[in-house]
Amino acid sequence: MVEKIKLAQGAGGQMMDKLIKDKILKYFTKTSVSAEIPLSMLDDSAVIDDIVFSTDSHTVQPIIFPGGDLGSLAVAGTVNDISVMGAKPIALSAGFIIEEGLSSETFETIVKSMSKVASDADVPIVTGDTKVVEKGAIQEFMINTSGIGKRTSLLEKNIKEVKQYRSFKQRWLLDSNLEKGDKIILSGNIGEHGIALMSYREGYGFETEIKSDVAPINRLMEKILSVGGVVSAKDPTRGGLANTVNEFSEKSKIGIVLDEEVVPIPKGVRSACDLLGIDPLEIGNEGKVVIGVVKEKANDVLAEIKKHPLGKNAAIIGKATDKIKGVVLKTTVGGKRNLRKPIGDPVPRIC
Ligand code: MG
């Protein structure tokens, strides 16, 4: 029988991991060996000649949703993947694929929204491409954004601060940089983006209280770096917090203990998840960051994040430890469970 690509293989979990490793990396890795941070590291961006480079295609349905739209998502997505490397995003591209029949008004709404988010983030869109395909060839409208970023003195300052407390050889904030004792900080509420979309799509009614958190986090990252002591950062998008901390743990080869009680989950997200039987830790977010920071700087970094409008509900949610393997969640009822990477995504087509 002919093997066919399944939806879950693009959902950001274990199945997508396998698709990338089995069918993509073996062909592309050789061409990227000269990169300082090559494709094979599967981090949020690559780095070559000190240029941070990332790309992201956005296929969200519906294209306008509570709290955002395809345009805001496409800009924030790439800005965030560059920012979490510790770099300053400096320019974006926008590639449009439009289904014939899309209303011109909707198209313009989304382009305007891209423009607004890009100017709020202060990252210009400097190049692009527009294609229109026959009705049915795609659903409505898809946008690819790529972006480049560069090193700044803020990243140097941050790394200098790390070196006050432990040896550190890396030049970027990588998923693989955690060591035992590092604290894990989450910048705010989780689950809002995925639940807002799912609820709006399926008509569950939660959308009246839950809006997508989509937002560029580059300015928040600047604040974080200015305090210093940060070793890793990642935006918990597809696969949610569960996927992010497992990436940290796998790539850093260190255990991570999370305290479920302190993970900020809004009431509406919690009740939607209970109703639908899904885990809020596996739901995608689009305006959050999870960072690893040396323990001596954790409280200072947390205080700085809390001052930022995107970081009011930030919390120290766990730490890296060599006493366990993988990720262990201390549950609210006093138990412990292994927190694994989701297999697929409980909420598809959200980014
Ligand atoms: Mg990312």
Side-chain angles (χ1 to χ4, degrees), residues 289-310:
V289 61
V290 184
I291 66 167
V293 55
V294 294
K295 61 179 186 299
E296 293 84 354
K297 296 294 286 184
N299 287 326
D300 293 351
V301 169
L302 177 66
E304 189 64 34
I305 297 175
K306 279 176 161 292
K307 278 194 243 164
H308 192 278
L310 295 178

Side-chain angles (χ1 to χ4, degrees), residues 11 193-195 197-199 201 238 276 278 282-284 344-351:
H193 178 73
I195 291 298
L197 261 153
M198 185 168 193
S199 181
R201 242 169 14 204
R238 280 179 302 175
L276 303 167
I278 53 183
E282 295 188 358
I283 297 173
D345 193 323
V347 196
R349 292 286 294 276
I350 62 165
C351 61

Side-chain angles (χ1 to χ4, degrees), residues 70-71 74 93-99 107 110-112 114 125 127-133 138 141-145:
L70 177 64
S93 70
F96 295 155
I97 304 177
I98 307 158
E99 184 193 25
F107 176 69
I110 286 171
V111 176
K112 253 164 72 184
M114 285 185 86
I125 298 166
T127 186
D129 176 56
T130 304
K131 298 271 158 59
V132 181
V133 296
I138 63 156
F141 189 10
M142 292 176 179
I143 300 177
N144 173 278
T145 49

Side-chain angles (χ1 to χ4, degrees), residues 43-45 54 56 77 80-82 84 234-237:
D43 217 305
D44 298 279
S45 298
S54 193
D56 205 336
N80 294 351
D81 276 336
I82 294 169
V84 295
K234 198 169 192 65
D235 49 339
T237 53

Side-chain angles (χ1 to χ4, degrees), residues 39-100:
L39 177 63
S40 57
M41 287 182 73
L42 298 177
D43 217 305
D44 298 279
S45 298
V47 180
I48 184 154
D49 286 346
D50 258 10
I51 298 164
V52 177
F53 186 25
S54 193
T55 191
D56 205 336
S57 294
H58 299 272
T59 62
V60 64
Q61 267 296 318
I63 56 179
I64 297 174
F65 49 82
D69 56 51
L70 177 64
S72 53
L73 195 62
V75 171
T78 295
V79 164
N80 294 351
D81 276 336
I82 294 169
S83 307
V84 295
M85 300 297 285
K88 177 184 172 61
I90 55 168
L92 297 177
S93 70
F96 295 155
I97 304 177
I98 307 158
E99 184 193 25
E100 177 183 26

Side-chain angles (χ1 to χ4, degrees), residues 44 100 106 117 129 208 210 241 278 337:
D44 298 279
E100 177 183 26
T106 304
V117 179
D129 176 56
T208 51
I210 305 164
L241 181 65
I278 53 183
R337 72 172 167 103

Side-chain angles (χ1 to χ4, degrees), residues 209-222:
E209 45 171 328
I210 305 164
K211 290 190 167 49
S212 165
D213 63 341
V214 59
I217 56 163
N218 54 327
R219 301 204 191 255
L220 174 60
M221 280 305 296
E222 284 172 11

